[in-house]
Amino acid sequence: MTLNSPRGTKDFFGNDIKYRNFIINTARQLFSVYNYSEIITPAFEYTEVFSRSIGEGTDIVQKEMYTFLDKKGRSLTLRPEGTASVVRALIENKLYSDHLPVKLFYIGNMFRYERPQKGRMREFWQLGVESIGIGSSIIDAEVIWLLNSFFKQLGFRNLILFVNSIGCSRCRVKYILEFKKYLKPFKGELCFDCRNRIDSNPLRIFDCKKDGCRKILEDSPKIQSFICSECKDHFEGVLNFLKILEINYKVNPNLVRGFDYYTKTIFEIISSDIKSAQNALGGGGRYDDLINQFGGPDIPATGFAIGIDRTLMLMKQQNINFDIKKEGPKVYVIVMDKNYQSFALEVVKFLRDKNFACDINFMIKNLSSELKWAEKNSYNFAVIIGEDEVNTGNITIKDIDKFKQYKINWKSQKDKIIKLIWSEE
Ligand code: HAM
C-alpha cells in the first residue's frame, strides 16, 4: 500500500518551488525596505496562546485547531496563525523595551482543520508583518501600503482592497447590543451555525457565506453608525493617508474578519479573478488590546498576513511570469562513457567553483536524449565529453538557446568558457 500525504496538505517541488521562492524573496526584500526584521517562533504553542487571543467563540478556536496533549499532559496547539505567537514572543523577550514601533515579519506554515477546497488547505503558508507600539493612523496606512505594494510588485491585476473600522472595545459593546436586537426576529431563518453565533460571537455572522444569512444582514445596523468619535477620527485619518499614498480602496461595512483581537481598522485584499469563496489573498488589522490582555504593556499594534499558497495559485492562473533566467545560466555536463567521468568531474568542479548552476548525467544514456532532457529542464548550455573530447582535449560546448556549438581547449582556454557562458546573460 502506498502512503499519501494527509488531506489538506501539499508537497512543493519543481516550478512551484520557483514561484514560492520568488514570492518569499520579493517579500523579504520589500519588508526590509519598509524596515521590518524577521522573527521565527515555534510551530506550536501552549493552546492558551491561541484560545485567549483569537477568541473562544471563533470558528478557529472552536473547530479548527490541531490541539493535542504532550507526554506530560500539557495542551499544545499547532499555530493556526502568526499574530498570537509574535505577541507571546514580544512579551516573553521584552522586545518592546527599546524603540517603538517594533516592526517584525515572519514566514511560516500554519494549521487549520478546515474542509479543504481550492485555496483552502489544512497546512498552509503565510507571510506576515506586525507593527507594534504605535496607535496612530499613519501606521495603519503604512501596513496597508506594504500589503498593497507587495501584490503590485508581483504584478497582480484585479485586486480589491477592502477596509473597515470595527471600533474599539467600548463602541463595539453598544453595537453588539443593537445587532442582537435586530437579529432576534430572524433567529429561525439563520443557519445552524449563525444561530449559535448570536450568543457566542455575533460578529462572526458577517463571515457566513450562506445566501439566507447574507440577505438578513443586508439591512442590519452597521458598526460605522456606532463608533465613537476617536475611532471615527482614526479611520478618517487612515483613509486620508491612503489617498495621499494613491492606494485604491473600498470601504466595506460588512467586513469583520475572524478574530476577536481586532480593534479599529481592519482590511483584506481579494482577487476578483479567484472565483471560489476563498478569494482573500491577505488580511489584517489593528489589535490595540491584545498585548495588554496577554500580560504585556498597554501598547497598540497592527499587522497583516498573506497566504503564500493562494498567491502562488493566482500567479500561475494569471500567467504572471518572472524571469527564471535571473538565476544565471545553467550548464549540463554530458559524459558519454564511465571512463570519462573523472574528466567530467574536473569540468563540473571548475564550473561550480565559479558559481555556475550545473549538473552532470550520472546515468549514461545516449547524447540526443540527454540534450533533450537538458533543453526541457531549462539548461542554457551543454558541455559534451565523449571520446573525441578526451582524445583531443577540446570540449564541446553547445549553446542550447542560440543553437550554436563551440570547441574549446580544456587546458588552455578556460577563460573562454567563462566568457562564453556569461555572454548568455
Ligand atoms: P487570516 O485572514 O486568517 O489572517 O489569514 C491571512 C491569509 O492567509 C488569508 O487571506 C489567506 O490568504 C491565507 N489563509 C488563511 N487560511 C487559509 C487556508 N486554510 N488555506 C490557505 N490559505 C489560507 C491572519 O492569519 C491574521 N493573523 C493576520 C494578521 C496579522 N492580523 C494582524 N496581524
Side-chain angles (χ1 to χ4, degrees), residues 307-366:
I308 296 180
D309 310 76
R310 286 186 200 172
T311 305
L312 194 159
M313 188 177 86
L314 193 63
M315 271 188 89
K316 283 164 71 176
Q317 191 182 309
Q318 293 195 341
N319 282 327
I320 296 177
N321 272 321
F322 49 95
D323 195 358
I324 289 173
K325 290 227 179 77
K326 266 192 199 135
E327 294 168 357
K330 278 173 64 178
V331 187
Y332 191 50
V333 177
I334 304 170
V335 54
M336 301 308 301
D337 189 289
K338 262 193 159 174
N339 292 323
Y340 313 147
Q341 273 180 332
S342 37
F343 185 174
L345 267 190
E346 249 184 68
V347 177
V348 172
K349 182 174 183 313
F350 170 76
L351 291 169
R352 285 187 176 160
D353 285 348
K354 300 274 178 225
N355 278 333
F356 287 113
C358 71
D359 209 351
I360 180 171
N361 60 327
F362 290 100
M363 259 191 0
I364 293 161
K365 294 190 196 145
N366 68 57

Side-chain angles (χ1 to χ4, degrees), residues 111-148:
F111 307 85
R112 295 184 195 171
Y113 190 79
E114 296 188 86
R115 197 164 49 79
Q117 51 176 263
K118 201 164 182 241
R120 192 162 73 188
M121 313 280 296
R122 286 182 173 165
E123 182 192 27
F124 59 98
W125 289 80
Q126 280 187 347
L127 294 160
V129 308
E130 311 296 347
S131 180
I132 297 158
I134 304 284
S136 58
S137 45
I138 190 166
I139 290 276
D140 304 53
E142 194 204 37
V143 163
I144 297 172
W145 179 18
L146 175 53
L147 178 71
N148 197 59

Side-chain angles (χ1 to χ4, degrees), residues 81 83 112 114 121 126 130 257 259 261-262 280-282 303:
E81 59 111 41
T83 310
R112 295 184 195 171
E114 296 188 86
M121 313 280 296
Q126 280 187 347
E130 311 296 347
R257 302 201 24 87
F259 304 86
Y261 53 60
Y262 286 127
L281 291 164

Side-chain angles (χ1 to χ4, degrees), residues 2-18:
T2 55
L3 295 173
N4 299 324
S5 67
R7 202 163 121 74
T9 66
K10 181 178 158 37
D11 302 308
F12 289 88
F13 50 86
N15 237 7
D16 279 1
I17 289 287
K18 289 190 179 149

Side-chain angles (χ1 to χ4, degrees), residues 88-349:
R88 195 268 311 135
L90 173 102
I91 298 168
E92 192 171 334
N93 299 292
K94 295 197 171 51
L95 300 179
Y96 51 81
S97 52
D98 195 7
H99 173 81
L100 294 178
V102 183
K103 292 166 117 186
L104 299 168
F105 81 86
Y106 51 89
I107 301 166
N109 46 350
M110 309 292 155
F111 307 85
R112 295 184 195 171
Y113 190 79
E114 296 188 86
R115 197 164 49 79
Q117 51 176 263
K118 201 164 182 241
R120 192 162 73 188
M121 313 280 296
R122 286 182 173 165
E123 182 192 27
F124 59 98
W125 289 80
Q126 280 187 347
L127 294 160
V129 308
E130 311 296 347
S131 180
I132 297 158
I134 304 284
S136 58
S137 45
I138 190 166
I139 290 276
D140 304 53
E142 194 204 37
V143 163
I144 297 172
W145 179 18
L146 175 53
L147 178 71
N148 197 59
S149 302
F150 172 75
F151 288 108
K152 233 166 103 182
Q153 202 161 98
L154 287 185
F156 277 48
R157 303 175 295 270
N158 307 329
L159 295 183
I160 307 167
L161 172 70
F162 288 126
V163 290
N164 193 19
S165 173
I166 51 165
C168 60
S169 50
R170 289 178 302 281
C171 24
R172 213 163 329 142
V173 172
K174 275 189 253 157
Y175 171 67
I176 286 174
L177 272 177
E178 278 308 306
F179 186 45
K180 280 186 171 175
K181 226 189 268 172
Y182 168 83
L183 290 173
K184 222 173 178 183
F186 299 107
K187 195 170 177 181
E189 295 165 50
L190 289 168
C191 73
F192 175 78
D193 281 343
C194 287
R195 244 176 283 153
N196 288 333
R197 285 172 182 144
I198 294 182
D199 290 321
S200 65
N201 204 338
L203 285 180
R204 289 286 73 71
I205 297 174
F206 282 98
D207 288 339
C208 187
K209 303 278 186 275
K210 299 209 173 70
D211 288 343
C213 300
R214 294 190 91 102
K215 187 111 197 70
I216 292 169
L217 291 178
E218 276 171 15
D219 296 325
S220 73
K222 299 288 183 284
I223 184 103
Q224 273 75 29
S225 333
F226 290 80
I227 62 177
C228 64
S229 60
E230 192 211 316
C231 290
K232 209 180 228 161
D233 287 350
H234 182 93
F235 193 47
E236 273 164 18
V238 177
L239 301 185
N240 189 40
F241 284 127
L242 292 181
K243 275 186 206 128
I244 290 168
L245 293 164
E246 297 178 332
I247 294 169
N248 292 325
Y249 62 83
K250 276 188 188 162
V251 175
N252 177 356
N254 286 334
L255 181 67
V256 289
R257 302 201 24 87
F259 304 86
D260 279 1
Y261 53 60
Y262 286 127
T263 51
K264 296 184 178 167
T265 321
I266 52 169
F267 49 90
E268 208 156 77
I269 197 155
I270 69 152
S271 163
S272 52
D273 291 330
I274 301 182
K275 295 295 172 225
S276 72
Q278 316 306 323
N279 60 358
L281 291 164
R286 209 164 241 299
Y287 46 98
D288 287 350
D289 303 331
L290 184 61
I291 297 161
N292 194 226
Q293 273 167 22
F294 260 38
D298 191 6
I299 49 173
T302 179
F304 67 72
I306 291 163
I308 296 180
D309 310 76
R310 286 186 200 172
T311 305
L312 194 159
M313 188 177 86
L314 193 63
M315 271 188 89
K316 283 164 71 176
Q317 191 182 309
Q318 293 195 341
N319 282 327
I320 296 177
N321 272 321
F322 49 95
D323 195 358
I324 289 173
K325 290 227 179 77
K326 266 192 199 135
E327 294 168 357
K330 278 173 64 178
V331 187
Y332 191 50
V333 177
I334 304 170
V335 54
M336 301 308 301
D337 189 289
K338 262 193 159 174
N339 292 323
Y340 313 147
Q341 273 180 332
S342 37
F343 185 174
L345 267 190
E346 249 184 68
V347 177
V348 172
K349 182 174 183 313

